[in-house]
Amino acid sequence: MAELTLKTAKNTYKLLENSIYDFEKNTDINMSILKAVDALPQNKQTKVLKNILETSTTLCFINLDILAAYRQYLSAQTNYEERYAMKSLNTIMSEGYKKVFGFTQTSKSFWKTHMKSVTNNYPELLADYERITNSLEELASNSVFNKDMRDFSVHYDIDPRKVYVMLSQLSAEEVSDRFSHFFVCITDIFAFIRKTLDIVVPPLLNIQI
């Protein structure tokens, strides 16, 4: 990330605050809807809707963590606070990607289980699903995630020299650049979720509770 001017940093800091409020509201709404759906007669549509809402809520959590970490970076008063915020952002991206898409464990991937089941029931969504799947695969192949930084940030190491080198070489610009690629995919998934809801929800409105 290029060095921010004070005015730009303040504006970004405020924008991120507003986004956090929005994602908090969306999370609360999702959970309220999930509770209501649990009370409906259970069928294919309700199962698909729950899968969509659970995926959406998890993405909200990831976004909240990312926004909070970036605000921490913008408000940092010391070099170490900046580095701490950036290594936290890297960890959130790695863990978020693992939960959404998975590196090897398909059964723990929201995208490969919850959202794949949506396309099984609504094949008109398959083309968009496959396009986003390709984008998610490219994230990992293009080294968007720094596994060593994640591991040292979470577990440290028996050799403190490795942790020291990681912290010394940590680049906020490099982490921010990787984050921009990650955020594009997350935004694309949210758009896909909105599209699926437009298809799945209308038939449920005719269900008598």
Side-chain angles (χ1 to χ4, degrees), residues 5-72:
T5 65
L6 180 60
K7 181 178 180 181
T8 300
K10 286 182 175 179
N11 289 340
T12 303
Y13 190 79
K14 182 61 178 178
L15 287 172
L16 295 177
E17 178 185 5
N18 294 335
S19 295
I20 287 174
Y21 287 137
D22 289 340
F23 278 113
E24 285 181 319
K25 290 177 183 177
N26 288 339
T27 302
D28 291 338
I29 291 171
N30 282 350
M31 295 308 298
S32 295
I33 297 174
L34 273 169
K35 183 177 180 180
V37 172
D38 286 338
L40 292 173
Q42 299 301 296
N43 54 32
K44 180 184 73 174
Q45 286 83 7
T46 54
K47 175 60 176 176
V48 168
L49 181 55
K50 285 195 285 188
N51 284 346
I52 296 170
L53 291 170
E54 288 171 358
T55 302
S56 178
T57 304
T58 299
L59 289 173
C60 285
F61 290 146
I62 294 169
N63 273 286
L64 285 167
D65 286 348
I66 284 174
L67 296 172
Y70 208 84
R71 269 172 59 89
Q72 185 180 44

Side-chain angles (χ1 to χ4, degrees), residues 64-152:
L64 285 167
D65 286 348
I66 284 174
L67 296 172
Y70 208 84
R71 269 172 59 89
Q72 185 180 44
Y73 166 68
L74 293 174
S75 63
Q77 298 297 309
T78 67
N79 286 335
Y80 190 79
E81 287 176 310
E82 290 184 358
R83 294 175 189 278
Y84 179 83
M86 285 294 102
K87 70 176 186 151
S88 295
L89 180 58
N90 180 79
T91 300
I92 294 163
M93 287 193 295
S94 295
E95 294 304 302
Y97 180 87
K98 183 165 65 176
K99 180 56 62 178
V100 172
F101 190 66
F103 288 102
T104 57
Q105 295 178 302
T106 300
S107 63
K108 295 183 178 181
S109 161
F110 273 96
W111 187 253
K112 297 174 183 175
T113 56
H114 284 49
M115 298 310 294
K116 177 59 177 175
S117 72
V118 177
T119 64
N120 291 339
N121 290 283
Y122 300 92
E124 63 268 34
L125 297 167
L126 184 58
D128 284 337
Y129 175 86
E130 292 180 341
R131 174 180 57 79
I132 296 173
T133 298
N134 290 335
S135 296
L136 287 166
E137 290 173 344
E138 288 175 4
L139 282 181
S141 63
N142 291 338
S143 301
V144 170
F145 307 102
N146 187 321
K147 185 178 185 302
D148 287 341
M149 186 188 298
R150 180 266 178 201
D151 290 346
F152 292 145

Side-chain angles (χ1 to χ4, degrees), residues 143-182:
S143 301
V144 170
F145 307 102
N146 187 321
K147 185 178 185 302
D148 287 341
M149 186 188 298
R150 180 266 178 201
D151 290 346
F152 292 145
S153 298
V154 175
H155 304 296
Y156 302 101
D157 193 84
I158 192 66
D159 183 355
R161 298 170 188 81
K162 294 180 180 179
V163 180
Y164 182 82
V165 169
M166 180 273 290
L167 289 170
S168 300
Q169 296 178 349
L170 191 155
S171 165
E173 182 176 0
E174 183 262 339
V175 176
S176 296
D177 181 64
R178 290 191 284 108
F179 160 68
S180 67
H181 293 288
F182 180 76

Side-chain angles (χ1 to χ4, degrees), residues 181-197:
H181 293 288
F182 180 76
F183 194 72
V184 167
C185 275
I186 295 297
T187 301
D188 210 10
I189 294 174
F190 270 120
F192 179 75
I193 286 174
R194 286 193 293 271
K195 184 174 181 178
T196 63
L197 289 173

